[in-house]
Amino acid sequence: MTDKTYNADLSRRHFFGKAAAAAGMAVAPGVFLRQVHARPADQAATSEQRWGILIDTDKCAKGCDSCVTACMDENGWGRADASEDKSGPHQKAQWIRKVTIKDKQTGHVQSLPLMCQHCENPPCVDVCPTGASMKRADGIVLVDKHICIGCRYCMMACPYKARSFVHEDLEDQKVVAPRGKGTVESCTMCVHRVDENGTPACVEACNADNHNAMYFGDLKDPNSEISRQLKQYGGKELRADLGLNTGVRYRGL
Ligand code: SF4
Ligand code: SF4
């Protein structure tokens, strides 16, 4: 597998910093940067961490979509007033979605949130012709909207259907998550929060609702809550057979 691991080196961070200063500047047709709110420019992501999310499907409540709503609010996609009306029902933005799976043998039904799995070996990165699809040193997989040409190869390569394409001009975007017509997008693991030692919005919302079905943390830190939970109770990858070593894990499957 081609190693296109993206190291968020300082020069690139400075590039984003300069771009952020040019509020409202168009970087590609339909792509406007309002502001990039990220970690301090002198601190690059490092491979000392690998960020991950553990989802306990036994605690994930059927019919609850607090995580989805929180992601929409945080990152400004799928809003009723966002004019995302040119996309068909199967084309709309879906950074995170609730899915229901049924065990064919036992009939057991489970509800779980599905987003980018932040693969260690991401097929979306392998097929990207421009390098827009990238993986940071800390495992977070992102799309660089500046160089995404909208070919959508990554959407076809992703086995989790975790990415979507922006079909329309957008207004009133969130400063932390600029989106653009003609580019591909997916869950960023709320990188703007992570870079400020925060917790992803979906995880926060799940906890606020007292479901406590989602854990976020550093998979490389044996003392982190997510590592302790994984060690004690286990956790599986969706489609582990693909060998992608996902950063998102599930318990109760
Ligand atoms: S889940 Fe899909 S979009 Fe996310 S890293 Fe893996 S292949 Fe890429
Ligand atoms: S981590 Fe952030 S971007 Fe990813 S699904 Fe959760 S709220 Fe959305």
Side-chain angles (χ1 to χ4, degrees):
M1 205 171 266
T2 310
D3 182 9
K4 289 186 187 173
T5 298
Y6 177 84
N7 284 306
D9 57 76
L10 297 182
S11 61
R12 191 158 183 87
R13 297 210 66 82
H14 284 149
F15 170 71
F16 278 113
K18 284 178 186 168
M25 179 182 73
V27 294
V31 181
F32 289 86
L33 284 182
R34 303 296 171 89
Q35 184 181 336
V36 175
H37 186 67
R39 71 167 65 223
D42 61 347
Q43 291 180 22
T46 78
S47 58
E48 287 174 21
Q49 286 95 27
R50 186 178 180 207
W51 300 113
I53 294 176
L54 169 64
I55 297 165
D56 187 338
T57 61
D58 291 332
K59 293 183 184 169
C60 180
K62 254 183 282 180
C64 171
D65 65 353
S66 292
C67 54
V68 179
T69 304
C71 184
M72 287 177 169
D73 290 345
E74 178 73 14
N75 297 297
W77 60 272
R79 292 174 299 171
D81 62 350
S83 306
E84 295 184 30
D85 53 1
K86 292 190 178 63
S87 302
H90 300 297
Q91 296 176 315
K92 291 192 183 301
Q94 50 170 16
W95 291 30
I96 178 172
R97 64 194 195 276
K98 279 295 289 289
V99 299
T100 302
I101 58 173
K102 184 177 181 180
D103 188 306
K104 284 182 182 167
Q105 291 181 327
T106 65
H108 182 51
V109 175
Q110 288 168 301
S111 173
L112 54 90
L114 188 62
M115 69 286 257
C116 171
Q117 304 290 291
H118 296 278
C119 310
E120 183 181 21
N121 308 308
C124 58
V125 173
D126 281 342
V127 301
C128 179
T130 69
S133 201
M134 62 198 186
K135 187 183 66 159
R136 296 201 331 178
D138 58 6
I140 297 179
V141 177
L142 298 169
V143 178
D144 184 341
K145 307 293 172 54
H146 298 83
I147 51 178
C148 175
I149 56 174
C151 69
R152 289 166 266 186
Y153 288 169
C154 60
M155 289 175 63
M156 288 183 271
C158 175
Y160 306 100
K161 299 192 187 318
R163 291 194 160 180
S164 45
F165 182 76
V166 180
H167 291 264
E168 49 276 293
D169 293 314
L170 301 173
E171 296 178 353
D172 300 326
Q173 299 169 53
K174 297 282 184 173
V175 292
V176 296
R179 307 171 61 215
K181 180 180 180 181
T183 63
V184 172
E185 57 187 10
S186 55
C187 159
T188 63
M189 206 175 269
C190 285
V191 66
H192 55 284
R193 285 178 170 231
V194 174
D195 282 350
E196 296 190 344
N197 296 320
T199 302
C202 54
V203 178
E204 191 176 86
C206 185
N207 291 338
D209 278 2
N210 287 323
H211 295 305
N212 301 310
M214 301 174 81
Y215 302 85
F216 166 78
D218 182 5
L219 296 168
K220 286 187 174 176
D221 177 1
N223 297 315
S224 67
E225 178 67 9
I226 190 171
S227 293
R228 287 206 300 262
Q229 289 281 336
L230 282 166
K231 188 176 178 188
Q232 189 166 359
Y233 303 108
K236 293 181 181 171
E237 299 176 42
L238 286 181
R239 293 296 313 270
D241 57 307
L242 296 175
L244 303 178
N245 191 13
T246 57
V248 179
R249 310 283 169 80
Y250 294 84
R251 180 190 301 156
L253 293 179

